[in-house]
Amino acid sequence: MSEPVHSNRSGALLALAAFAVWATHDLGVKYLGASYSAVQIVFFSVLFNFPLATLMLISDPVDGHLRPIHPWWNLLRAISGVAGGVSAFYAFSTLPLTQVYALIFAAPLLVTILSVPILGETVRLKRWCAVIVGLCGVFVVLRPGATTLSLGHAAALVTAVGTALSAVIVRRIGREERSVVLILYPMLANVVVMGAALPFVYEPMPAAHLGLLALISVMAFGATSLIISAYKRGEAVIVAPMQYSQIIWATLYGALFFSERPDRWTMIGAGIIIASGIYIVLREGTAGASENRPVLRMRLRPETGTFLRSGLLMMRKGRTETGDPEER
């Protein structure tokens, strides 16, 4: 067996493991969402991540200050992150897992759209067609007029937009900003905003639920570490599509723990969205693609509200300040 094939297989397996952990993380969020506001869950999940973030930040070998080079881009990213984070937790709390994932999977399509004005990307006809087909898949999932749409559906779409916008901003400023800045500011924004809203929604939490929140934070850290290892071992074009395996876990967890049965149209729409996303990833993986490759290099999960993964991959590879596009 050749080394590249072996490495790609290892990368794919590690990515599958990472997204299985992420799906379990989201299962915990949905369980807690039945009893607590999304604001409260986001606040404590970010708070419990600060010790882990501190351990990562002190390993940053780059000297310098914590003032952002691009304050307005960082502010926009923080706003999108706060909105996307609380929206994701609310969506998981109110919608079937499969529906939430199906709508969040639209993020790569939105990345392609946003990469035109923000990154100056040239998107050719075939990718535009894939985006249009994928957005049609979103309408299949939502079926406006045939089903009753809720705030949960809107929240899932806000999550997709927030995830996409955050990803594109990181692609734009990531070569110049320190990883410390990319990680720290969204976390602080979540703590400040969610902390300000917390008194209005707070419900006392027993030790078991606080422990589950701590476990959720650990799972986020573990999943991030697995994704880092996956991208180190395998090609991005192999690793990136593994995120869609979460729909399998969503179907399984939904059936086992919440008696959820995904309807036919949700699965058809999810299939359309996933197929479009994979096509875009494969197109960006061709030799003629721009080096920006915003979807192929999209490794963020800002909808979780923790943001540890926003700059961690670049930090761990030690290439953030070198401007090496292959490591971003």
Side-chain angles (χ1 to χ4, degrees), residues 115-302:
S115 68
V116 176
I118 296 178
L119 299 179
E121 274 280 290
T122 299
V123 178
R124 303 193 184 280
L125 180 61
K126 290 183 178 180
R127 271 203 284 167
W128 277 123
C129 289
V131 169
I132 293 171
V133 170
L135 294 178
C136 289
V138 173
F139 279 98
V140 171
V141 174
L142 294 176
R143 283 170 292 154
T147 59
T148 301
L149 301 181
S150 66
L151 285 177
H153 295 96
L157 291 175
V158 170
T159 300
V161 174
T163 300
L165 182 58
S166 181
V168 175
I169 291 174
V170 167
R171 293 296 302 157
R172 180 180 175 91
I173 68 175
R175 296 182 182 182
E176 300 174 17
E177 294 285 8
R178 296 179 64 196
S179 294
V180 173
V181 172
L182 292 174
I183 294 173
L184 189 60
Y185 279 84
M187 292 184 68
L188 288 174
N190 266 291
V191 168
V192 171
V193 175
M194 297 300 111
L198 186 62
F200 300 99
V201 298
Y202 179 76
E203 294 288 340
M205 304 184 78
H209 288 178
L210 286 171
L212 179 56
L213 274 170
L215 180 60
I216 285 172
S217 298
V218 172
M219 284 192 287
F221 179 83
T224 300
S225 299
L226 286 170
I227 292 174
I228 290 169
S229 298
Y231 275 101
K232 283 183 177 179
R233 287 169 172 76
E235 298 173 75
V237 72
I238 300 296
V239 173
M242 297 301 111
Q243 65 178 307
Y244 297 118
S245 65
Q246 291 176 106
I247 199 71
I248 300 173
W249 291 105
T251 303
L252 178 62
Y253 285 155
L256 288 178
F257 296 102
F258 304 105
S259 299
E260 295 174 353
R261 297 291 187 274
D263 62 77
R264 177 180 59 182
W265 292 108
T266 296
M267 299 310 292
I268 291 174
I272 295 171
I273 296 168
I274 290 170
S276 301
I278 291 176
Y279 178 81
I280 291 172
V281 166
L282 294 176
R283 289 292 299 175
E284 290 195 2
T286 60
S290 164
E291 75 170 21
N292 271 333
R293 291 173 287 183
V295 174
L296 191 61
R297 295 298 178 184
M298 179 182 173
R299 299 160 179 163
L300 308 183
R301 278 280 309 234

